[in-house]
Amino acid sequence: MTQSRRVSPTLCRLVFTGLAIAASGLASPAFARPSVDRASATSRCAALSGLRLADTLIVSATMVDNPAATFKSPGLADLPAFCRVVARVRSAPDSDIGVEVWLPAKGWAGIFHGNGNGGFGGTLEAGYGSMIAGLRRGYATATTDTGTAPATSLYGDALIGHPRKWRDWGRLSTHVMTVTGKAITAAFYRRGVTRSYYTGCSTGGQQGLIEALYYPRDYNGLLVGAPVINRTWGHAAVAWDFQAANRTLGSLLSDAKLRLLNNAATAECNRQGHGVPGDPFITDPLGCRFDPAELACNGAAGDQCLTPAEVATARAFYSGPTLRDGRAAFFGWPIGSEGPGRFGWSFLESAANGGPQFGGLFKWVFGANWDWRGFDVDRDMPVVDAKLGPDVNDATRGDLRAFAALGGKLIIYHGLADSLVPPAQSVAFYERQARALGGMAALQRNARLFMVPGVMHCGGGPGPDIFNSALGTLPPPPVKDASDDLFAALIAWTEQRRAPQRIVATKFVAGKPGQVELQRPLCPYPQVARYTGTGPTKAAENFVCTAKSLGRAAGGSKS
């Protein structure tokens, strides 16, 4: 790592400040009066307003005695009281990283829990769902806005001309959150953190990989979902799709055509043996081959066939960005990802500020007047990579050797119907790490990958998407232990050395959380779940994990 990529000396001083608090039991002068044992949680929380950390402003420190009332959510009535601290870390010109920490007033487990954001970040609220899950476990829990405010999850135009904020978003902010959060935690409890866990999905998944790859001492265990690994090409894939669907009026795939495509693709892949016949999803889409031309209209156009322009759009989505010479430049979307959903193909076809979703990244390079109509993969992507790659593509570099040497545990999961972050990219990343560590067996001692059939981006879709209690946007698993919950499995692996062998994922009946529709086992890659041939296909016990690996998807290798 070159000197230009290191965290500033002031951030290093922040680390030592937190360690000194933990080691000596002494805090800044604001804590010189009552001891921790005698002082109430309320007074200790208020005193955090005077905590002095390098380059850090404590914006507020307030006790939340009634979380349900504070957040106007009756569902939080069981949440314990906590000290809520908001801070801003400004360690370099144009760097302003927001951090929020929740500290349980009673029963702290000695554990720090960091959480990721989504999209372009920009808000602290995006991490609240996962923070609630941590707080319920008695953890001190934190999140960051990734230093990109006033950007929001979907819109990054506000970051035009702010290269330091690109770097904070792509590399530094999660480490800053962790160092700051641990220092605040140590000051509040007058003792140091014993263990640390991280959870996040999408951009939050990327944040977790950066922690494992470059800051291996920050966390003992990380749970990473649908990680954005190659950031620049991930955005290029979205722009490629938008171009394909909007180049002519007849190119866009309607909801009816998407349902037609999804039904046909699912039936064909399951007929080929890549899933269970009758399932509304595919178990092994990366091993399936399906040509949308099979649905081409023979006569008049209608909802039960695809026009030549619609076939071309579907092929572009499946192939991903392709160079002029026909070579695949990046990954496409898996077969079976065409169905409706919050971040499905219809989302990729839709406009944001008159252009592709997440198109703000290209404006950082080409200016506010960048026009998607002229976007050219061959010509433009070398320019984008040269300008942004050093700051936002760190997950494509580095390996887990230092993390593994420290005994860290990493669980990655990815939905196989994801059409916002290519699931094949997670497979490629995992295989690259296996090569770096000397083989799959060596990697699996510290890192495991679970590919989830029929699940879209961080949840949703026809597959079983309930398996992670730390994903605050979905209900918790019906059984909250290591058999049904990846977060619990990570904790058991880290603390009891019980590596996850099989996780039961659940699909609840729509609109009826708690009422099980089906369950399937998730198997650590390269294993997949196969039906035994007997018993109901909606019951997990009728499936076994087999050594047959997932197929390889066509696409690039920018992992």
Side-chain angles (χ1 to χ4, degrees):
M1 186 189 308
T2 63
Q3 179 65 37
S4 63
R5 297 191 57 76
R6 291 176 183 160
V7 180
S8 70
T10 50
L11 281 180
C12 293
R13 292 198 301 274
L14 193 154
V15 177
F16 294 130
T17 301
L19 291 175
I21 291 171
S24 66
L26 300 176
S28 63
F31 293 89
R33 295 185 294 275
S35 71
V36 171
D37 292 336
R38 298 197 306 269
S40 71
T42 299
S43 63
R44 284 187 287 124
C45 183
L48 289 176
S49 296
L51 179 64
R52 290 192 286 274
L53 300 173
D55 304 317
T56 302
L57 169 69
I58 304 297
V59 177
S60 62
T62 56
M63 182 59 67
V64 178
D65 292 308
N66 187 344
T70 298
F71 295 103
K72 297 180 174 60
S73 176
L76 301 182
D78 65 331
L79 207 62
F82 63 93
C83 175
R84 180 185 186 186
V85 181
V86 177
R88 306 214 67 85
V89 182
R90 297 163 177 146
S91 60
D94 205 28
S95 179
D96 186 359
I97 298 172
V99 176
E100 185 162 341
V101 188
W102 296 355
L103 305 154
K106 296 180 180 179
W108 179 49
I111 293 173
F112 178 81
H113 173 217
N115 295 279
N117 210 293
F120 290 112
T123 64
L124 292 166
E125 291 82 355
Y128 285 0
S130 298
M131 292 174 75
I132 289 169
L135 194 64
R136 283 198 169 111
R137 289 182 177 270
Y139 298 171
T141 184
T143 193
T144 174
D145 65 1
T146 69
T148 56
T152 64
S153 178
L154 297 180
Y155 300 105
D157 288 16
L159 303 185
I160 298 171
H162 294 277
R164 172 61 195 218
K165 293 185 182 297
W166 310 339
R167 175 191 258 187
D168 287 344
W169 176 62
R171 172 66 179 269
L172 299 177
S173 59
T174 312
H175 179 59
V176 170
M177 170 195 75
T178 305
V179 170
T180 305
K182 287 182 179 181
I184 291 171
T185 300
F188 182 70
Y189 296 110
R190 296 288 180 91
R191 60 188 176 97
V193 170
T194 57
R195 284 185 305 280
S196 301
Y197 296 114
Y198 174 90
T199 59
C201 193
S202 192
T203 290
Q206 178 187 21
Q207 292 171 252
L209 290 186
I210 293 298
E211 284 294 295
L213 291 167
Y214 296 96
Y215 306 102
R217 295 184 182 277
D218 278 1
Y219 292 97
N220 303 99
L222 300 100
L223 177 57
V224 164
V228 182
I229 296 170
N230 191 308
R231 174 62 70 172
T232 54
W233 277 90
H235 286 245
V238 175
W240 169 270
D241 296 335
F242 187 79
Q243 277 189 323
N246 292 278
R247 59 179 174 265
T248 68
L249 289 177
S251 296
L252 191 141
L253 291 159
S254 67
D255 287 346
K257 296 298 180 78
L258 290 173
R259 285 192 294 271
L260 172 72
L261 190 61
N262 179 246
N263 290 337
T266 301
E268 174 59 21
C269 288
N270 289 348
R271 185 195 66 79
Q272 293 177 20
H274 300 292
V276 179
D279 270 356
F281 56 87
I282 307 166
T283 301
D284 181 12
L286 304 186
C288 181
R289 294 296 177 264
F290 170 75
D291 187 350
E294 295 177 15
L295 298 172
C297 300
N298 292 321
D303 284 347
Q304 298 307 307
C305 64
L306 301 180
T307 66
E310 291 167 342
V311 169
T313 297
R315 283 176 167 169
F317 275 56
Y318 289 136
S319 72
T322 303
L323 302 177
R324 278 191 290 270
D325 62 9
R327 287 181 295 130
F330 192 58
F331 303 91
W333 309 121
I335 298 166
S337 66
E338 315 84 0
R342 182 184 177 195
F343 292 122
W345 284 25
S346 57
F347 174 78
L348 297 174
E349 293 182 312
S350 66
N353 290 335
Q357 302 288 343
F358 307 107
L361 179 141
F362 297 103
K363 297 178 183 178
W364 303 353
V365 178
F366 300 113
N369 294 323
W370 175 77
D371 189 343
W372 62 272
R373 296 170 185 83
F375 177 62
D376 183 280
V377 170
D378 292 76
R379 181 196 65 217
D380 294 340
M381 286 310 296
V383 179
V384 173
D385 279 339
K387 188 163 187 177
L388 298 182
D391 289 332
V392 305
N393 282 347
D394 273 341
T396 66
R397 301 177 281 268
D399 59 58
L400 296 169
R401 283 179 291 183
F403 181 73
L406 291 167
K409 306 301 180 188
L410 169 67
I411 295 177
I412 305 171
Y413 65 90
H414 206 140
L416 281 165
D418 195 335
S419 56
L420 202 57
V421 177
Q425 187 179 208
S426 285
V427 173
F429 172 86
Y430 193 71
E431 292 184 340
R432 174 166 66 83
Q433 295 303 323
R435 292 190 295 272
L437 269 71
M440 192 65 68
L443 175 62
Q444 288 184 329
R445 287 195 284 269
N446 297 89
R448 301 214 168 184
L449 169 66
F450 292 85
M451 304 301 289
V452 191
V455 171
M456 300 180 75
H457 187 63
C458 296
D465 61 345
I466 306 298
F467 52 84
N468 176 14
S469 65
L471 192 60
T473 56
L474 293 173
V479 178
K480 300 176 181 64
D481 64 23
S483 67
D484 285 43
D485 180 7
L486 279 178
F487 192 23
L490 176 71
I491 296 166
W493 193 13
T494 304
E495 298 179 9
Q496 302 165 24
R497 298 184 180 180
R498 291 193 287 119
Q501 303 294 339
R502 169 184 166 119
I503 301 293
V504 175
T506 300
K507 182 71 177 178
F508 288 136
V509 175
K512 298 180 179 179
Q515 185 172 334
V516 176
E517 179 179 333
L518 67 86
Q519 292 184 313
R520 291 286 166 85
L522 306 182
C523 307
Y525 181 86
Q527 294 183 334
V528 294
R530 294 298 182 196
Y531 179 48
T532 62
T534 59
T537 59
K538 292 188 176 183
E541 60 264 28
N542 297 321
F543 289 77
V544 295
C545 292
T546 71
K548 183 181 183 303
S549 66
L550 290 164
R552 303 298 183 87
S557 58
K558 293 178 168 58
S559 60

